[in-house]
């Protein structure tokens, strides 16, 4: 089988550095550490990138994909808006604030970015079925991308997910299987399925395709830097589910520096969790290097991973960059969703409520510099998590169709 992963040349263990040939592997055989894509980059210039398409494939020379990736049937996500959030900044006392709004992706979450990488890996390996364990957004992104790519799809979710996310995953076809239990139970089941004949020729985006899939999150770092005029933000707030998105954004920033595409300036990375599922935040505040698993209990179901695989790496990055990890309660999440909507016209799902809530909390506690250029991520569309604001699902008032009635109401 001839494999074409562009500039990616091997898989490398993040713990011990052992290298392996490119393949559908995700764990080191020496130390069981996670594998990630390793590269041999050629010359990459700003001009080359800027001449590319208005999606993630403008960065194809930095990703594990073939050079002709843009010509293949794919969802072509990315190049979402970086919104100058002056109203929200004034409300919170932050001088220069931006919202990276990934709700503009094809299935309305950042997951389209990572799934696009997994589709190309599945093609390379000759897989016929795309699968995943999901807290919701990934399920919809996988079934949509599989439909577009002409692949079968079978995805697995906790049975108690938000109805909007279940409906979205179903509408694209394929099979949607609800599992009784938490996301961590679903993920364990999928890991068992990989070793069973039933899972033969299946590409699990966030398991056996994870080294390629996870690289899609780097495109958030690339876009933010390019949209800021080829510079790194001074502070960034990123939601934590597995922790992979945060680690890959850090990786993307470092690659841009190494390649000379941006100046090497300091940046602080802050992780954001819901209090009902905050194992990384708890470990950070206690000064621990190990993340103790928890049982999730929060409205932010897209972040409800009680045993985050990249948790220890998040701790390392937060400490190395001078950032931190914080969490907010469910009522604070709802208040933050409403604050972002009423100031910037951006309707975030609960994960966006977590990042904006943490942004507010960090600013009020003095952990965030209000004078520094700051970016906060919104990773999904609020229409997917309407239950969180169900109290507002009614008119301000109901009146008779007359001016007198309206005057009386006003």
């Amino acid at each position: 089988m001839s494999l074409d992963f562009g500039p990616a040349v091997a898989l490398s263990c993040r713990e011990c550095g052992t290298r392996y040939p490119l393949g559908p592997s995700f764990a080191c055989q020496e130390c069981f550490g996670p594998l990630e894509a390793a590269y041999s980059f050629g010359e990459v210039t700003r001009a080359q990138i800027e001449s590319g398409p208005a999606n993630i494939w403008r960065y194809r020379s930095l990703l594990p994909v073939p050079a002709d990736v843009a010509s293949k049937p794919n969802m072509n996500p990315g190049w979402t808006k970086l919104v100058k959030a002056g109203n929200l900044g004034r409300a919170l006392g932050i001088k220069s604030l931006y919202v990276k709004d990934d709700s503009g992706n094809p299935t309305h979450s950042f997951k389209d970015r990572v799934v696009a990488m997994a589709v190309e890996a599945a093609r390379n390996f000759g897989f016929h079925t795309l699968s995943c364990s999901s807290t919701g957004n990934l399920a919809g992104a996988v079934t949509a991308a599989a439909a577009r790519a002409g692949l079968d799809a079978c995805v697995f979710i906790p049975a108690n997910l938000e109805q909007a996310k279940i409906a979205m995953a179903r509408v694209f076809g394929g099979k949607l299987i609800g599992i009784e239990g938490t996301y961590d139970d679903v993920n364990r089941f999928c890991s068992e399925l990989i070793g069973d004949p039933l899972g033969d020729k299946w590409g699990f985006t966030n398991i056996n395709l994870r080294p390629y899939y996870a690289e899609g999150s780097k495109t958030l770092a690339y876009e933010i830097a390019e949209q800021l005029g080829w510079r790194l933000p001074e502070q960034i707030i990123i939601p934590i589910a597995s922790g992979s998105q945060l680690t890959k954004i850090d990786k993307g920033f470092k690659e841009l520096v190494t390649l000379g595409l941006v100046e090497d300036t300091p940046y602080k990375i802050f992780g954001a969790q819901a209090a009902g599922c905050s194992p990384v935040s708890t470990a950070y505040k206690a000064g621990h290097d190990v993340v103790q698993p928890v049982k999730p209990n929060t409205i932010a179901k897209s972040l409800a991973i009680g045993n985050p695989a990249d948790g220890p790496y998040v701790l390392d990055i937060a400490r190395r960059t001078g950032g931190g990890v914080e969490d907010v309660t469910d009522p604070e999440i709802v208040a933050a969703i409403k604050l972002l909507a009423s100031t910037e016209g951006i309707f975030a799902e609960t994960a966006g409520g977590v990042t904006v809530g943490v942004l507010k909390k960090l600013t009020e506690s003095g952990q965030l510099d209000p004078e520094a250029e700051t970016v906060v991520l919104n990773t999904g569309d609020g229409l997917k998590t309407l239950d969180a604001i169900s109290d507002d699902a009614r008119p301000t008032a109901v009146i008779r169709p007359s001016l007198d009635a309206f005057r009386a109401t006003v």
Side-chain angles (χ1 to χ4, degrees):
M1 182 188 303
S2 176
L3 302 180
D4 184 357
F5 284 98
V9 294
L11 296 180
S12 177
C13 176
R14 204 184 305 178
E15 287 293 328
C16 71
T18 301
R19 287 201 167 198
Y20 300 90
L22 294 166
S25 305
F26 59 97
C28 177
Q29 297 174 19
E30 299 295 325
C31 71
F32 302 106
L35 301 181
E36 62 179 1
Y39 299 90
S40 177
F41 294 125
E43 182 184 9
V44 183
T45 68
R46 294 180 183 178
Q48 289 172 350
I49 292 171
E50 291 167 352
S51 66
N55 54 53
I56 60 172
W57 306 134
R58 69 200 284 116
Y59 307 110
R60 61 190 177 277
S61 56
L62 302 173
L63 298 169
V65 295
D68 65 347
V69 62
S71 67
K72 299 180 180 182
N74 206 299
M75 298 298 285
N76 299 328
W79 204 242
T80 54
K81 293 179 180 178
L82 183 68
V83 179
K84 177 68 173 174
N87 295 331
L88 179 61
R90 282 186 287 275
L92 298 179
I94 301 172
K95 183 178 179 180
S96 180
L97 178 63
Y98 294 86
V99 176
K100 180 58 172 171
D101 185 14
D102 243 25
S103 65
N105 275 311
T107 67
H108 308 287
S109 89
F110 96 93
K111 290 294 187 181
D112 290 317
R113 297 175 182 271
V114 289
V115 171
M117 301 293 131
V119 166
E120 294 310 311
R123 284 187 174 125
N124 254 314
F125 299 133
F127 292 158
H128 56 64
T129 299
L130 207 60
S131 186
C132 69
S133 52
S134 173
T135 57
N137 284 323
L138 180 57
V142 165
T143 53
R148 173 77 175 135
L151 299 171
D152 292 333
C154 183
V155 300
F156 301 87
I157 60 171
N160 66 345
L161 278 189
E162 300 97 336
Q163 287 300 304
K165 290 179 180 176
I166 292 175
M168 189 171 192
R170 287 289 309 270
V171 75
F172 298 114
K175 295 181 177 65
L176 178 69
I177 309 298
I179 301 289
E180 296 174 355
T182 67
Y183 169 82
D184 298 292
D185 296 319
V186 178
N187 200 47
R188 280 192 294 272
F189 169 80
C190 289
S191 297
E192 293 175 10
L193 183 55
I194 288 175
D196 189 275
L198 278 172
D200 185 45
K201 293 295 183 182
W202 284 34
F204 289 80
T205 59
N206 50 348
I207 306 177
N208 63 345
L209 297 180
R210 189 176 184 85
Y212 313 95
Y213 156 95
E215 294 294 282
S217 288
K218 296 193 307 180
T219 61
L220 279 162
Y222 302 153
E223 286 181 23
I224 289 168
E226 184 177 355
Q227 290 169 329
L228 286 174
W230 292 107
R231 68 173 185 271
L232 303 181
E234 295 175 274
Q235 301 174 142
I236 184 168
I237 296 89
I238 303 169
I240 298 171
S242 71
S244 176
Q245 183 185 72
L246 187 149
T247 64
K248 294 302 181 181
I249 287 176
D250 178 60
K251 183 179 180 181
F253 285 160
K254 291 192 291 186
E255 286 175 348
L256 292 177
V257 170
T258 299
L259 292 166
L261 294 169
V262 299
E263 185 181 348
D264 186 4
T265 56
Y267 58 87
K268 294 181 179 181
I269 292 183
F270 294 88
Q273 292 200 293
C277 184
S278 56
V280 186
S281 175
T282 299
Y284 176 80
K285 293 174 184 177
H288 295 161
D289 296 325
V290 176
V291 176
Q292 289 291 116
V294 301
K295 185 174 182 179
N297 181 22
T298 173
I299 61 171
K301 293 183 179 180
S302 61
L303 303 183
I305 297 180
N307 188 18
D310 280 26
Y313 303 110
V314 169
L315 295 173
D316 292 343
I317 291 167
R319 289 164 179 156
R320 171 173 55 79
T321 64
V325 187
E326 186 55 90
D327 57 83
V328 284
T329 64
D330 284 1
E332 288 174 316
I333 293 168
V334 173
I337 291 172
K338 294 178 180 179
L339 176 63
L340 178 61
S342 63
T343 54
E344 299 298 341
I346 296 172
F347 184 19
E349 71 162 32
T350 47
V354 169
T355 53
V356 174
V358 165
L359 170 71
K360 181 175 185 291
K361 191 170 182 178
L362 291 171
T363 304
E364 292 173 347
S365 66
Q367 297 176 70
L368 202 79
D369 182 358
E371 298 296 312
E373 187 171 65
T374 305
V375 174
V376 61
L377 266 59
N378 172 44
T379 52
D381 194 318
L383 291 174
K384 295 185 175 189
T385 55
L386 288 173
D387 288 353
I389 57 161
S390 57
D391 290 347
D392 284 346
R394 60 183 184 276
T396 304
V398 177
I399 63 172
R400 290 175 290 107
S402 72
L403 288 173
D404 287 343
F406 180 59
R407 288 190 185 97
T409 301
V410 172

